[in-house]
Structures are given as C-alpha cells and as structure tokens.
Amino acid sequence: MSGVHIIGAGIHPFGRTPQRTGLQQGAYAVRQALASAGLNWRDMQFAYGGSDAAGKADTMVSELGLTGIQFINVANGCATGGSAMFGAYATIKSGEFDLGIAVGFDKHPRGAFDPKPAEWGLPEWYGDTGLMLTTQFFAMKIQRYMAMHRITAPTLAAVAEKAFDNGTIADHAWRREPVDAATILAATMVSDPLTKFMFCSPAEGAVALVFASERKARELGSRSVKLRAAAVRSRPPGSFEVFSPALEIERGPSPTVIASRAAYDMAGVGPEDIQVAQLQDTESGAEIMHMAENGFCLDGEQEAWIAEGATRIGGRLPVNTDGGCLACGEPIGASGLRQVYENYMQLTGQAGARQVPDDPRLAYSHVYGAPGVSAIAIVER
C-alpha cells in the first residue's frame, strides 16, 4: 500500500467567465496544476473528472492531448469534486498507478439550481411542496437547528461577513468586496431566516489536483502535501438531508458525521488536531451546523465561537479561509476540489494575504451534496 501525495494544484477563477466554456476552464486548471508540479499531460496515467452542467470531463482530452489516458467521469451532486478526489486517492493507494489527476469544473446558468423530483427518485408531490427549492429546504433546516440550540440571526450574519472578508484577499474568489453584518441582516429575505447575502450562488470555475505515490513524490522532489484520509459517505437511517421526503422520529447521524469519523480514524487524528478547515457553506447555516457535525464543537457552541472570532484567519480554527462557497460561488463539479486546493495552498505557505499563521500542519475539508452525500479529506504538510 502506498502513501498518497498532492504534488500540484491549479485553479480557474470562480465567478463568470463568458469567454471560456466550462470544459475550457477545466483544461485551464489542469494545465496550471501540471505546471505547478513540473509535469506534462503525457505523464498522467489516469484522470477522474466531474461536472454537473458543463459537459463530460473526459472530453477535455481533445484540448489536453489524445494520450489514451484512463479517464473516469464522476457525478455525485455537490460532492462531485470530493468524489473525483476520492477516486484518485484510492487509485494511487492501491499501488496500480503512480501519477494521476482529479479535475472538477462547472458553468451554471444564472438563477437558482432547478432540480427535478424524478431525477432524485422522488414523486412529483415533493416538488409541489416547494422542497426541491434548496433555499427553502436549508432555511427550514437551520430554523429547526437554531430553535434547538439557541443560535441567533446575528451569528448567521457573522458567518457571511467573514466569508466576504476572506474573499477580498482570495484571488480566485468571485465576491471580492466586504459586506458588513448589518447590511447582511437587512438584505432581502430569501427564505426566513436567510437573506440574500447568506446564500451562495451557482457559478463557474475549475480546479485540478495532481496526485502521486509517495515514491514518485520523493523522486520528483515536488512541493507536496500528504493525503492522510479521504472518505465519502451517503446518508444513514434517521438522517434528514436535502431531497429526503421525511424526517424520522428515531434520529440518526448525518452523512457528514459518519464520513468525518471515518476520516479521523483513517488519519489517526482528531478534530482537536486540525489547524485549518474548509466546510460546506452553501448558506450561512450550513457552516454553523457543519462545525458540530465534523466534530469541532458541540451543538450550540458555535454562537460563542463565532462571536469571539475563533473561525476567522488567526483564530483557533480558521474556517473557509478563501471565503468558501459564499464568496466563491458554487460550480458544483469544482467546489469540493476548491476546498482541497485552498488547504494545499495553506499548508505549502502559498496563500498570501489569507495565510493562516504558525505554519499549519493539518488541514481538513468537507463537502456536502444532495441527496445526502459527504466527502472528507485530511491533508498533512
């Protein structure tokens, strides 16, 4: 069994890029990742790639080169990027190959996502209730959580304010202007209690990561981080997730809880060891709930954590240091890989103005997607 290293990373800026297709953005990120590793496309032995709305990832070989590469398309909702990364991790870990790449990209039209019930195994009545509209579902979920654990609306606003502050110092972010908490709270209500600044937007962008076996990473002498753990889990009995048609009386853990436990066990570390984290924040409430689901605090402790600035850059656990989905937007295929890209930049000291102090050694990423899929990665310098 071989250790797995990330030896190169590339990103196409998130936001709107009308002059490039989603596939072209993906190819851009691949070329950037290869250049950072000092490698060529012909050096790649395999690839995993995913997109939700911008085409089949494997067709980018027309842009990158017809090398006969083994190229696997991945589709797993918002966890598509994390799942592509898991495929690359498992392929290297098996010892079958020494070098490969994971790429995710997307180019969503303006407006909210428009999922159809039949595509998710649901009857039409579920769509008629309005719950296919994810803004409404997540608002209901955070309302329930706030009532149970005494989380307040100013805490939701503080999460978004932090995201936009971090976005101002992240070159790849879409939203590059600060928005203060008072403006966030006073903004148009989308689904109570979430205002328009508390939601991320569908977007465009691409990320690629180059993976290598431990032996190959040493041979190349590349600047690398070790992928200590990669875990993907779907929803267990009793969880209540997006596009779930019912809430069971007997509650169970979420897919994030079981994925995080698996990742911690695999890495041999605990949440107390993590020094920087990227957590799914499709809206402000998601980041709050995911802080607890990933083991960083107890339910309800987020109120104090956020008030004291613990999740800001320089705090005891910086969260979403590049602004997360709120500042970057969410191109579904790229979003999970963006988190790992950010951790790679943090651990290799390349994060610039948003660099976490004190030379972080362990970083954590978590992506969540419909209909209840979570992907976790823990990387080590």
Side-chain angles (χ1 to χ4, degrees):
M1 301 289 279
S2 171
V4 182
H5 289 248
I6 299 171
I7 63 170
I11 194 165
H12 183 285
F14 283 32
R16 298 288 177 202
T17 310
Q19 67 270 29
R20 288 196 183 105
T21 67
L23 273 165
Q24 289 170 337
Q25 293 178 45
Y28 177 103
V30 168
R31 293 188 184 103
Q32 194 181 76
L34 291 170
S36 77
L39 295 170
N40 298 306
W41 177 240
R42 289 190 174 275
D43 296 318
M44 295 298 100
Q45 298 168 321
F46 68 86
Y48 287 84
S51 164
D52 180 72
K56 304 297 185 184
D58 67 312
T59 62
M60 73 172 61
V61 298
S62 298
E63 295 231 6
L64 297 169
L66 304 179
T67 64
I69 188 173
Q70 174 178 289
F71 203 130
I72 311 298
N73 286 326
V74 179
N76 213 6
C78 296
T80 291
S83 300
M85 179 202 63
F86 178 81
Y89 168 81
T91 301
I92 295 285
K93 191 77 172 172
S94 73
E96 185 70 19
F97 295 112
D98 283 316
L99 279 173
I101 199 159
V103 57
F105 60 93
D106 247 310
K107 191 179 182 77
H108 299 294
R110 296 177 185 276
F113 293 121
D114 185 27
K116 303 295 188 292
E119 296 172 356
W120 300 92
L122 294 167
E124 287 303 312
W125 67 256
Y126 188 81
D128 294 340
T129 67
L131 287 174
M132 290 304 292
L133 189 63
T134 53
T135 51
Q136 180 167 309
F137 176 89
F138 286 120
M140 290 174 62
K141 189 170 183 178
I142 190 58
Q143 269 198 16
R144 180 176 184 275
Y145 191 86
M146 291 168 71
M148 291 176 65
H149 302 293
R150 298 185 180 181
I151 303 296
T152 63
T155 297
L156 294 174
V159 169
E161 182 181 55
K162 169 182 65 72
F164 295 125
D165 284 347
N166 290 352
T168 65
I169 49 176
D171 292 342
H172 59 266
W174 183 11
R175 310 299 188 190
R176 303 293 307 280
E177 295 182 0
V179 184
D180 64 84
T183 300
I184 293 166
L185 282 170
T188 302
M189 186 69 70
V190 176
S191 288
D192 190 22
L194 301 169
T195 70
K196 70 175 185 177
F197 287 116
M198 296 177 187
F199 282 102
C200 76
S201 298
E204 303 175 20
V207 178
L209 303 173
V210 179
F211 295 81
S213 65
E214 195 160 314
R215 178 188 65 80
K216 195 67 174 177
R218 283 203 200 99
E219 176 188 313
L220 293 170
S222 305
R223 180 160 44 186
S224 71
V225 298
K226 185 173 184 176
L227 190 49
R228 288 279 296 269
V232 181
R233 295 291 187 272
S234 57
R235 63 183 186 268
S239 69
F240 185 51
E241 312 303 330
V242 61
F243 303 156
S244 298
L247 176 62
E248 295 182 27
I249 294 173
E250 294 294 327
R251 299 307 312 282
S254 71
T256 294
V257 168
I258 61 174
S260 68
R261 289 173 182 167
Y264 289 132
D265 287 345
M266 192 182 304
V269 302
E272 68 280 1
D273 300 309
I274 303 301
Q275 294 158 293
V276 56
Q278 317 301 327
L279 305 180
Q280 182 81 356
D281 62 332
T282 18
E283 30 75 32
S284 293
E287 180 174 320
I288 291 168
M289 291 184 285
H290 291 147
M291 285 172 61
E293 289 188 359
N294 286 285
F296 296 116
C297 66
L298 297 177
D299 291 315
E301 289 184 346
Q302 301 97 321
E303 188 88 355
W305 273 56
I306 291 165
E308 69 186 38
T311 59
R312 284 186 170 268
I313 295 171
R316 57 174 147 152
L317 180 69
V319 174
N320 292 330
T321 47
D322 67 348
C325 291
L326 290 173
C328 294
E330 189 182 27
I332 283 177
S335 198
L337 289 176
R338 174 192 53 76
Q339 297 176 325
V340 183
Y341 169 89
E342 175 65 10
N343 283 341
Y344 174 85
M345 299 299 280
Q346 289 288 345
L347 296 192
T348 56
Q350 301 180 77
R354 65 185 188 280
Q355 180 67 53
V356 170
D358 302 323
D359 295 324
R361 184 182 66 86
L362 275 172
Y364 185 99
S365 65
H366 154 264
V367 63
Y368 169 87
V373 178
S374 286
I376 310 293
I378 298 175
V379 291
E380 178 183 36
R381 172 172 51 83

